[in-house]
Amino acid sequence: MPILLLAPFVVLFAVFFIFPVLYALYLSLFVSHGGQNIFVGLQNYVQVFQDTAYWSGLLRVILYGVIQVTIMLIVALVLALLLDSDYVKGKAMFRLIYFLPYAVPGVIAAIMWGFLYAPQLDPLMSLFSAKHPLNLLAQGHVLAGIINMATWEWAGYNMTIYFASLTSIPVELYEAARLDGCSEVQTAIHVKVPMIRQTIILTVVLSIIGSLQLFNEPFVLASLTTISASYTPNMYIYNTAFSYGNFNYSAAMSVVLAVITFVASLFFLYMTSEPAPSNKKKVNRAEHPNMNGVPGEVR
Amino acid sequence: MISTTNLQRENHRRSADPVKKTATTILLTLIAAYFLLPLYWLLVSTTKTTQQLFNTPMLLFPSHWNLLSNWHWLNSYQHGVFWRWAINSVTYSLAAAVLGTLISAMAGYVLSMYKFKGNKAISTSILGALMVPAAALAIPTFLLVKSIGLINTYPGVILPMLLNPFGVYFMTVYIREAMPAELLDSGRVDGANDYWIFFRIGLPIINPGLVTLFLISFIGTWNNFFLPLVLLSKSQLYPLTVGLSIWVGNLNTAGTGMPLYPLIMIASFLSVIPMLILFGVLRKYITSGITMGSVKS
């Protein structure tokens, strides 16, 4: 076995993955006091569990995730089904346009939309009502603004995955559906969607992971409007470490977030691991533990 | 890969109702406008002064163009630091994409072509690593990089970016499909050693996979924000994403009291353009990468 081919990755994995994980666990058991690290056991975790700012941030990203992931994936699925139907000409062009925002850095997308949300800059916002222009930067509307940003950035990405999955369905199945008298819409709902069930589950899991890590958009928007330092767990973790220099508490919070993310992903995978009961056809259960296309990307 | 050809697919198309066709096309066009208009607005905005941004119709070019003065402002602002950031972004993205892809390909090759003790353990850890959010690792990574004295250096940013568990997973799956195991045996019969076989026979065969992973890594690094934000505090080392976010933070406060809007508009536009071109030209490779594993072969 050519060990030297494997060695660089194993070393990187040990140094920049395993070590940081263990180091975060280690840090989370201490407090810094006058330049001294004092072992406090699980005290930081007790503090995290009592920290209402942390949990309200977490609730906010969960709320955000439920709404955003639902909207985005429905949009993506409908677009993919429409582009896979007989109704459309110029499919390649539409696919390119919808997928385009994937190439735009999340930060730039956030800047762009952040400016577009400013009522002075964007007359579209004042269209909603001449007297009370909708201000997506105002308190209470920021989350809606972020939902729109993330949907703009990632709907086409997910559509691309669905579309590729749809094109791998054998045409014979459509033929059979047509002989059974299925309309195009019925075929989409009863044949196509069940066939790409595994792909849909995969995108849900990846999107949940992404939405719990929400950071870039609120971080940029914090420059344009009032957003609290603990708006999302990741913002809280970042600000605790780099604005207040409390690395120990920050580490404890990131361990809790990582565990929650991990458990949420596994829970969702477990909940959906039963085959669809109504689907008697053999469903191709492709193995795809992950296909996160954006290494190191934080949403 | 795909069991039905596109031609067969076309032959199975039925002639659809023209009303439905038109309605669908209108809907899809409206949605396309949603995806395109912000980018078009950004393009238009590069030609405007702050005043024009606020006073002229947002989607129309102004009667008097200020593209050139915005361009000159960008080049001179903070001694042209924008171009420094652009060079940094190119450097980080190239280094992470070239070296990261090679490292991932080497590891993926060994994991897919050789049976050995520990193979399963490594493969499982990689899948586990994919579920751990990168942001959770950022704080300890910062402390680690700081303690080895690499904070605010190029290697300090690039080294953590070389680790790409997704890349190894991708290459493992790709190589398993693209490279017949017999090649290894026949190469050995000819007396070649395993390293020679990898570099001379393996790499050319897996070339399309390498291109795909290179592009995905390049875009991922170019767009990355959190890791460089955490690891860098020296403006001279920022990539575009971090630099621009700092400008947005200084929107109304920096310099002579001139709002930085036009600067941020033209800088954002220039940061997006290379990605859009790369993306448009090489979309096939990118698509095959992000859909890998979700499409049954």
Side-chain angles (χ1 to χ4, degrees), chain A residues 86 98 148 169 288 290 293, chain B residues 9 13 28 34 58 169 216 293:
Chain A
D86 301 340
Y98 299 158
N148 174 56
I169 300 175
H288 36 52
N290 197 302
Chain B
R9 226 161 247 290
R13 295 286 176 212
L28 290 180
Y34 165 72
M58 62 183 294
Y169 166 70
I216 290 178

Side-chain angles (χ1 to χ4, degrees), chain A residues 70-91:
Chain A
T70 309
I71 294 176
M72 173 183 72
L73 294 184
I74 288 176
V75 169
L77 188 59
V78 169
L79 287 178
L81 288 169
L82 282 175
L83 289 176
D84 192 55
S85 74
D86 301 340
Y87 298 148
V88 193
K89 280 198 169 162
K91 289 171 188 183

Side-chain angles (χ1 to χ4, degrees), chain A residues 200-223:
Chain A
I200 295 172
I201 290 171
L202 183 72
T203 55
V204 172
V205 172
L206 291 178
S207 305
I208 290 173
I209 295 179
S211 58
L212 290 176
Q213 314 309 318
L214 187 65
F215 179 83
N216 291 0
E217 290 84 355
F219 184 85
V220 169
L221 284 182
S223 303

Side-chain angles (χ1 to χ4, degrees), chain A residues 107 111 219-220 223-224 238, chain B residues 77-78 81 85 225 228-230 232-236 238-254 260 263-264:
Chain A
V107 171
I111 293 173
F219 184 85
V220 169
S223 303
L224 301 173
Y238 174 84
Chain B
Y77 187 72
Q78 293 175 346
V81 74
W85 295 341
F225 177 64
L229 176 75
V230 165
L232 297 170
S233 54
K234 237 165 85 180
S235 168
Q236 289 292 307
Y238 288 161
L240 288 166
T241 48
V242 178
L244 287 187
S245 79
I246 302 290
W247 277 0
V248 174
N250 296 335
L251 190 58
N252 290 309
T253 50
L260 300 181
L263 210 54
I264 293 168

Side-chain angles (χ1 to χ4, degrees), chain A residues 1-6 8-9 12-13 15-17 19-21 23-24 27 79 82-88 91-92 94-105 107-108 111-113 115-116 120-123 148 152 155 157 160-161 164-165 167-171 174-175 178 182-184 187 199 202 213 215-216 219 223-224 234 237-238 241-242 247 250 254 258 262 265-266 269 284 286-293 295-298, chain B residues 2-4 9 12-14 16 20-21 24-25 27-29 31-32 34-36 38-39 41-42 53-54 58 103 106-107 109-111 114 116 122 125-137 139-145 159-160 162-166 168-169 194-195 198-199 216-217 219-220 222-226 229-230 241 244-245 248-249 251 261 264-265 268 271-272 275-276 279-280 283 286-287 290-296:
Chain A
M1 184 185 96
I3 192 84
L4 288 179
L5 294 181
L6 189 59
F9 171 73
L12 281 171
F13 193 74
V15 175
F16 292 112
F17 182 77
F19 178 78
V21 167
Y23 194 35
L27 280 172
L79 287 178
L82 282 175
L83 289 176
D84 192 55
S85 74
D86 301 340
Y87 298 148
V88 193
K91 289 171 188 183
F94 283 124
R95 270 164 53 209
L96 175 65
I97 291 172
Y98 299 158
F99 194 18
L100 213 52
Y102 167 71
V104 176
V107 171
I108 308 274
I111 293 173
M112 224 164 53
W113 281 107
F115 285 173
L116 281 171
Q120 311 92 302
L121 267 179
D122 181 0
N148 174 56
W152 184 82
Y157 172 87
T160 303
I161 294 172
S165 208
T167 50
S168 70
I169 300 175
V171 159
Y174 299 160
E175 188 74 355
R178 198 204 315 188
C182 276
S183 71
E184 180 86 38
T187 310
T199 307
L202 183 72
Q213 314 309 318
F215 179 83
N216 291 0
F219 184 85
S223 303
L224 301 173
N234 259 341
I237 290 166
Y238 174 84
F242 294 102
F247 288 99
S250 180
S254 49
F262 203 78
S265 313
L266 289 182
L269 284 174
N284 294 318
E287 282 179 34
H288 36 52
N290 197 302
M291 30 112 275
N292 187 349
E297 176 81 6
V298 179
Chain B
I2 295 165
S3 58
T4 324
R9 226 161 247 290
H12 279 266
R13 295 286 176 212
R14 339 171 220 202
K20 282 182 184 167
K21 252 184 169 169
T24 312
T25 308
L27 177 70
L28 290 180
T29 308
I31 295 171
Y34 165 72
F35 286 110
L36 282 182
L39 294 170
W41 171 78
L42 192 62
L53 279 171
F54 283 91
M58 62 183 294
I103 291 168
M106 295 192 311
Y109 178 78
V110 175
L111 291 174
Y114 295 86
F116 60 95
I122 295 176
S125 331
I126 290 170
L127 291 182
L130 289 172
M131 286 211 199
V132 176
L137 301 173
I139 307 296
T141 302
F142 164 79
L143 293 171
L144 168 69
V145 171
L159 281 174
L162 295 183
L163 175 66
N164 186 353
F166 164 75
V168 179
Y169 166 70
D194 288 24
Y195 294 99
F198 171 71
F199 285 105
I216 290 178
S217 312
I219 294 179
W222 186 276
N223 295 355
N224 197 348
F225 177 64
F226 196 71
L229 176 75
V230 165
T241 48
L244 287 187
S245 79
V248 174
L251 190 58
Y261 284 106
I264 293 168
M265 296 294 183
S268 298
S271 320
V272 168
M275 286 303 99
L276 291 185
F279 181 83
R283 182 170 56 104
I286 298 166
T287 309
I290 70 157
T291 57
M292 171 104 174
S294 64
V295 178
K296 199 194 158 285

